[in-house]
Amino acid sequence: MNQRLALVTGVTGYIGGRLVPELLAADFRVRAMVRNPRRLRDREWYDDIEVVEADAGNAEQVRTAMDGVDVAYYLIHSLGTGKRFEARDRHNALTFGSMAREADVQRIVYLGGLYPEGEELSPHLDSRREVGEILLASGIPVTVLRAAVILGSGSASFEMLRHLTERLPVMITPRWLGTRIQPIAVRDVLHYLVGSASMPAEVSRGFDIGGPDVLTYRDMMQQYAKVAHLNQRRILTLPLLTPSLSSHWVGLVTPVPSSIARPLVDSLIHEVICKEHDIAKYVPDPQPGLIGFDRAVELALLRVQDFDVTTSWASAAMPGAPSDPLPGDPDWSGGSLYVDERESVVPVSPERLWKVVEGIGGGNGWYSWRLGWWARGLLDRLFGGPGLRRGRRNPRDLSVGDPLDWWRVEDLEETKLLRLRAEMRLPGLAWLELIVDHDEADRTVFRQRALFHPRGLPGHLYWWSIKPFHGIIFGGMQRNIAKAAIGPDPHGP
């Protein structure tokens, strides 16, 4: 039996990039339609798909991309693209629908927004509604899935919730925090998207999709705080805080751009609850059932202690986990990770530099500001942490799992990498990476990275309070380790 060919648009976006591997796993052939194919080259599935360069507004290019396609996923919208986005959305949808009909595509699947009937909608939500109606009128079978807040790291709605909750233990908020919402986990959205490709030809309509929980935005913030092990947030409502002011407030407090925050905030004034669950007649719910809010947040939160933090933060997620950030997600997705990164060329062999690196800590010290390290160790002991008293198991060799003063060896690659995870008392998670590498001229390079994943506002304040001392602490460590490697053999003859 021939594999069905699925065309995916919006593949550099949040849902599109996660849908591709799900379709491949479901035994579809996948063709990605993208304006700039180079943006896909860092995806792990790039070699498994066909890529066509096309602009959604160019009828000829879209028609070419549609050739031989069985099901076409329309995942394009103009959130955050500025004025006249409604006209752009309208033109793109009309072009896509007419070209799909001309190419004899069997079905279009569109992911739109959940909206209440009989209300004056926000411009963003009204445009999503209109696009669905345009596609339904295209003359071929169409599935329109309508979702509210999608829970997954990288989703703009989820990132706004994440950053507001983590950064503000006390906040004055607008009235829309009392609006009821039926969020849905990204994994369940992908389940319905893939399943919609196989609907009977006579089915052409819209479906509401949502998770099992109906919550106010305030409830979601409090539940997020609970799952993330943050203190309960103190929330005061200010009725005079308009959506316009709210969007500026969100833009100030979070890294979500105002151009995206504004339409999202405008849409939050609407109560968005599923009115039906007819989708289950054609696409059975995933087993063992739809994911609830708390579990969806658990899946979306980065369990960074399980990840390879040597990679970039955006690509540090475990493969196959759609709740985690992907390389193409915005820089403001995936939570905060602060990094102090330094490197220098050291005129010795990698083996000689590694001897110094592996011998760090304990009686050998940390090759840095001794008084600063001693004071930090004393402070850690006062708050119940290990301080510097644990020392080393062996004066020369380290193994994964060894305690090393207030650190623990998390990963070790002989002559190349030493990664330490902090066990001191901190408002967050911290690592120190010491890497022996070489450059294009085959010179030995010493790379050093300190990484910190803050927990709540105290974590952010902690990082910025110690940042002025990084030059002394980490800069000194970089220089002194190099100097020790150049000097007499640290382990003797």
mmCIF file of all heavy atoms in Angstrom, residues 36 55 67 74 81 84 111 125 149 163 186 271 309 323 325 342-343 356 373 379 396 404:
data_model
loop_
_atom_site.group_PDB
_atom_site.id
_atom_site.type_symbol
_atom_site.label_atom_id
_atom_site.label_comp_id
_atom_site.label_asym_id
_atom_site.label_seq_id
_atom_site.Cartn_x
_atom_site.Cartn_y
_atom_site.Cartn_z
ATOM 1 N N ASN A 36 11.730 29.701 3.575
ATOM 2 C CA ASN A 36 13.183 29.654 3.659
ATOM 3 C C ASN A 36 13.613 28.260 4.127
ATOM 4 O O ASN A 36 13.663 27.987 5.327
ATOM 5 C CB ASN A 36 13.694 30.719 4.631
ATOM 6 C CG ASN A 36 15.212 30.780 4.686
ATOM 7 O OD1 ASN A 36 15.900 30.000 4.021
ATOM 8 N ND2 ASN A 36 15.739 31.695 5.478
ATOM 9 N N ASP A 55 5.762 30.560 -1.021
ATOM 10 C CA ASP A 55 5.097 31.568 -0.203
ATOM 11 C C ASP A 55 3.604 31.280 -0.234
ATOM 12 O O ASP A 55 3.032 31.048 -1.306
ATOM 13 C CB ASP A 55 5.390 32.964 -0.753
ATOM 14 C CG ASP A 55 4.878 34.062 0.163
ATOM 15 O OD1 ASP A 55 3.638 34.165 0.324
ATOM 16 O OD2 ASP A 55 5.692 34.818 0.708
ATOM 17 N N ASP A 67 1.063 19.392 -5.555
ATOM 18 C CA ASP A 67 1.047 18.319 -6.539
ATOM 19 C C ASP A 67 1.200 16.952 -5.875
ATOM 20 O O ASP A 67 2.185 16.685 -5.187
ATOM 21 C CB ASP A 67 2.183 18.530 -7.553
ATOM 22 C CG ASP A 67 2.078 17.578 -8.725
ATOM 23 O OD1 ASP A 67 0.955 17.349 -9.206
ATOM 24 O OD2 ASP A 67 3.123 17.043 -9.149
ATOM 25 N N TYR A 74 -3.000 23.186 7.098
ATOM 26 C CA TYR A 74 -2.879 24.647 7.030
ATOM 27 C C TYR A 74 -2.638 25.155 8.446
ATOM 28 O O TYR A 74 -3.554 25.224 9.275
ATOM 29 C CB TYR A 74 -4.144 25.269 6.446
ATOM 30 C CG TYR A 74 -4.000 26.748 6.137
ATOM 31 C CD1 TYR A 74 -3.323 27.171 4.998
ATOM 32 C CD2 TYR A 74 -4.503 27.714 6.993
ATOM 33 C CE1 TYR A 74 -3.164 28.507 4.708
ATOM 34 C CE2 TYR A 74 -4.361 29.058 6.725
ATOM 35 C CZ TYR A 74 -3.686 29.455 5.578
ATOM 36 O OH TYR A 74 -3.527 30.793 5.304
ATOM 37 N N THR A 81 2.582 39.825 13.240
ATOM 38 C CA THR A 81 3.194 40.338 12.017
ATOM 39 C C THR A 81 2.802 41.777 11.714
ATOM 40 O O THR A 81 3.123 42.291 10.644
ATOM 41 C CB THR A 81 2.828 39.451 10.807
ATOM 42 O OG1 THR A 81 1.394 39.420 10.675
ATOM 43 C CG2 THR A 81 3.344 38.042 11.008
ATOM 44 N N ARG A 84 -2.725 44.935 9.191
ATOM 45 C CA ARG A 84 -3.281 44.297 8.002
ATOM 46 C C ARG A 84 -3.077 42.788 8.009
ATOM 47 O O ARG A 84 -3.066 42.137 6.966
ATOM 48 C CB ARG A 84 -2.684 44.899 6.724
ATOM 49 C CG ARG A 84 -2.995 46.374 6.529
ATOM 50 C CD ARG A 84 -2.474 46.876 5.195
ATOM 51 N NE ARG A 84 -3.001 46.114 4.061
ATOM 52 C CZ ARG A 84 -4.202 46.296 3.545
ATOM 53 N NH1 ARG A 84 -5.016 47.216 4.048
ATOM 54 N NH2 ARG A 84 -4.608 45.566 2.507
ATOM 55 N N LEU A 111 -5.826 24.130 12.033
ATOM 56 C CA LEU A 111 -5.888 24.368 13.478
ATOM 57 C C LEU A 111 -6.169 25.843 13.721
ATOM 58 O O LEU A 111 -5.337 26.702 13.452
ATOM 59 C CB LEU A 111 -4.570 23.972 14.154
ATOM 60 C CG LEU A 111 -4.506 24.219 15.666
ATOM 61 C CD1 LEU A 111 -5.561 23.402 16.409
ATOM 62 C CD2 LEU A 111 -3.112 23.911 16.196
ATOM 63 N N LEU A 125 -8.673 36.596 17.055
ATOM 64 C CA LEU A 125 -9.567 35.448 17.108
ATOM 65 C C LEU A 125 -10.570 35.475 15.959
ATOM 66 O O LEU A 125 -10.924 34.426 15.389
ATOM 67 C CB LEU A 125 -10.291 35.429 18.453
ATOM 68 C CG LEU A 125 -10.756 34.065 18.984
ATOM 69 C CD1 LEU A 125 -9.614 33.069 18.964
ATOM 70 C CD2 LEU A 125 -11.314 34.223 20.394
ATOM 71 N N VAL A 149 -5.993 27.718 24.773
ATOM 72 C CA VAL A 149 -4.575 27.764 25.159
ATOM 73 C C VAL A 149 -3.965 26.374 24.975
ATOM 74 O O VAL A 149 -4.497 25.377 25.468
ATOM 75 C CB VAL A 149 -4.437 28.212 26.628
ATOM 76 C CG1 VAL A 149 -2.999 28.033 27.108
ATOM 77 C CG2 VAL A 149 -4.864 29.666 26.779
ATOM 78 N N HIS A 163 6.092 32.749 32.191
ATOM 79 C CA HIS A 163 6.909 33.876 32.636
ATOM 80 C C HIS A 163 6.172 34.764 33.624
ATOM 81 O O HIS A 163 6.779 35.268 34.582
ATOM 82 C CB HIS A 163 7.388 34.677 31.428
ATOM 83 C CG HIS A 163 8.424 33.974 30.611
ATOM 84 N ND1 HIS A 163 9.688 33.713 31.086
ATOM 85 C CD2 HIS A 163 8.391 33.460 29.355
ATOM 86 C CE1 HIS A 163 10.391 33.085 30.167
ATOM 87 N NE2 HIS A 163 9.618 32.912 29.105
ATOM 88 N N VAL A 186 -0.326 19.993 24.147
ATOM 89 C CA VAL A 186 0.117 19.944 22.750
ATOM 90 C C VAL A 186 0.119 18.516 22.226
ATOM 91 O O VAL A 186 -0.156 18.262 21.047
ATOM 92 C CB VAL A 186 1.508 20.604 22.593
ATOM 93 C CG1 VAL A 186 2.582 19.865 23.368
ATOM 94 C CG2 VAL A 186 1.886 20.704 21.117
ATOM 95 N N GLU A 271 -14.483 33.973 27.060
ATOM 96 C CA GLU A 271 -14.548 32.662 27.679
ATOM 97 C C GLU A 271 -14.507 31.617 26.574
ATOM 98 O O GLU A 271 -15.344 31.621 25.666
ATOM 99 C CB GLU A 271 -15.833 32.522 28.490
ATOM 100 C CG GLU A 271 -15.930 31.212 29.249
ATOM 101 C CD GLU A 271 -17.102 31.187 30.204
ATOM 102 O OE1 GLU A 271 -16.948 31.652 31.350
ATOM 103 O OE2 GLU A 271 -18.178 30.730 29.785
ATOM 104 N N VAL A 309 23.128 19.521 28.829
ATOM 105 C CA VAL A 309 23.218 20.973 28.742
ATOM 106 C C VAL A 309 24.437 21.443 27.964
ATOM 107 O O VAL A 309 24.671 22.632 27.829
ATOM 108 C CB VAL A 309 23.220 21.620 30.152
ATOM 109 C CG1 VAL A 309 21.885 21.435 30.814
ATOM 110 C CG2 VAL A 309 24.324 21.042 31.026
ATOM 111 N N SER A 323 6.309 18.372 23.991
ATOM 112 C CA SER A 323 6.066 19.427 24.971
ATOM 113 C C SER A 323 7.296 20.297 25.195
ATOM 114 O O SER A 323 7.214 21.325 25.863
ATOM 115 C CB SER A 323 5.640 18.810 26.304
ATOM 116 O OG SER A 323 4.507 18.007 26.158
ATOM 117 N N PRO A 325 10.947 22.460 24.055
ATOM 118 C CA PRO A 325 11.327 23.391 22.995
ATOM 119 C C PRO A 325 12.104 22.706 21.875
ATOM 120 O O PRO A 325 12.793 21.728 22.107
ATOM 121 C CB PRO A 325 12.224 24.412 23.701
ATOM 122 C CG PRO A 325 12.163 24.122 25.134
ATOM 123 C CD PRO A 325 11.634 22.747 25.305
ATOM 124 N N ARG A 342 33.097 31.340 28.799
ATOM 125 C CA ARG A 342 34.440 31.890 28.562
ATOM 126 C C ARG A 342 35.295 30.825 27.875
ATOM 127 O O ARG A 342 35.080 29.632 28.056
ATOM 128 C CB ARG A 342 35.098 32.301 29.890
ATOM 129 C CG ARG A 342 34.298 33.355 30.657
ATOM 130 C CD ARG A 342 34.757 33.525 32.090
ATOM 131 N NE ARG A 342 33.817 34.358 32.822
ATOM 132 C CZ ARG A 342 33.873 35.679 32.908
ATOM 133 N NH1 ARG A 342 34.887 36.321 32.332
ATOM 134 N NH2 ARG A 342 32.971 36.356 33.590
ATOM 135 N N GLU A 343 36.298 31.278 27.112
ATOM 136 C CA GLU A 343 37.218 30.338 26.501
ATOM 137 C C GLU A 343 38.552 31.011 26.257
ATOM 138 O O GLU A 343 38.648 32.233 26.132
ATOM 139 C CB GLU A 343 36.657 29.767 25.199
ATOM 140 C CG GLU A 343 36.541 30.755 24.053
ATOM 141 C CD GLU A 343 36.124 30.043 22.761
ATOM 142 O OE1 GLU A 343 35.056 29.425 22.732
ATOM 143 O OE2 GLU A 343 36.913 30.139 21.784
ATOM 144 N N VAL A 356 44.822 19.211 35.012
ATOM 145 C CA VAL A 356 44.454 20.300 35.929
ATOM 146 C C VAL A 356 42.935 20.318 36.132
ATOM 147 O O VAL A 356 42.443 20.463 37.247
ATOM 148 C CB VAL A 356 44.936 21.665 35.398
ATOM 149 C CG1 VAL A 356 44.560 22.778 36.375
ATOM 150 C CG2 VAL A 356 46.451 21.641 35.170
ATOM 151 N N TRP A 373 35.168 31.990 47.337
ATOM 152 C CA TRP A 373 34.708 30.609 47.420
ATOM 153 C C TRP A 373 34.517 30.182 48.875
ATOM 154 O O TRP A 373 33.573 29.473 49.218
ATOM 155 C CB TRP A 373 35.710 29.675 46.730
ATOM 156 C CG TRP A 373 35.587 29.722 45.233
ATOM 157 C CD1 TRP A 373 36.194 30.609 44.388
ATOM 158 C CD2 TRP A 373 34.802 28.864 44.408
ATOM 159 N NE1 TRP A 373 35.836 30.361 43.089
ATOM 160 C CE2 TRP A 373 34.987 29.299 43.065
ATOM 161 C CE3 TRP A 373 33.970 27.782 44.657
ATOM 162 C CZ2 TRP A 373 34.369 28.668 41.997
ATOM 163 C CZ3 TRP A 373 33.353 27.161 43.585
ATOM 164 C CH2 TRP A 373 33.542 27.601 42.281
ATOM 165 N N LEU A 379 28.479 30.319 53.756
ATOM 166 C CA LEU A 379 27.074 30.706 53.663
ATOM 167 C C LEU A 379 26.205 29.496 53.344
ATOM 168 O O LEU A 379 25.105 29.336 53.907
ATOM 169 C CB LEU A 379 26.915 31.768 52.575
ATOM 170 C CG LEU A 379 25.514 32.375 52.405
ATOM 171 C CD1 LEU A 379 25.115 33.147 53.656
ATOM 172 C CD2 LEU A 379 25.483 33.308 51.186
ATOM 173 N N ARG A 396 43.266 12.714 42.475
ATOM 174 C CA ARG A 396 43.614 12.843 41.048
ATOM 175 C C ARG A 396 42.467 12.502 40.106
ATOM 176 O O ARG A 396 42.293 13.162 39.088
ATOM 177 C CB ARG A 396 44.811 11.944 40.722
ATOM 178 C CG ARG A 396 46.100 12.365 41.400
ATOM 179 C CD ARG A 396 47.271 11.623 40.826
ATOM 180 N NE ARG A 396 48.533 12.010 41.435
ATOM 181 C CZ ARG A 396 49.729 11.614 41.020
ATOM 182 N NH1 ARG A 396 49.819 10.800 39.972
ATOM 183 N NH2 ARG A 396 50.828 12.011 41.615
ATOM 184 N N LEU A 404 32.035 16.553 44.997
ATOM 185 C CA LEU A 404 33.214 17.403 44.827
ATOM 186 C C LEU A 404 32.895 18.743 45.473
ATOM 187 O O LEU A 404 32.315 19.631 44.844
ATOM 188 C CB LEU A 404 33.535 17.563 43.339
ATOM 189 C CG LEU A 404 34.801 18.349 42.964
ATOM 190 C CD1 LEU A 404 36.031 17.707 43.592
ATOM 191 C CD2 LEU A 404 34.954 18.432 41.455
#
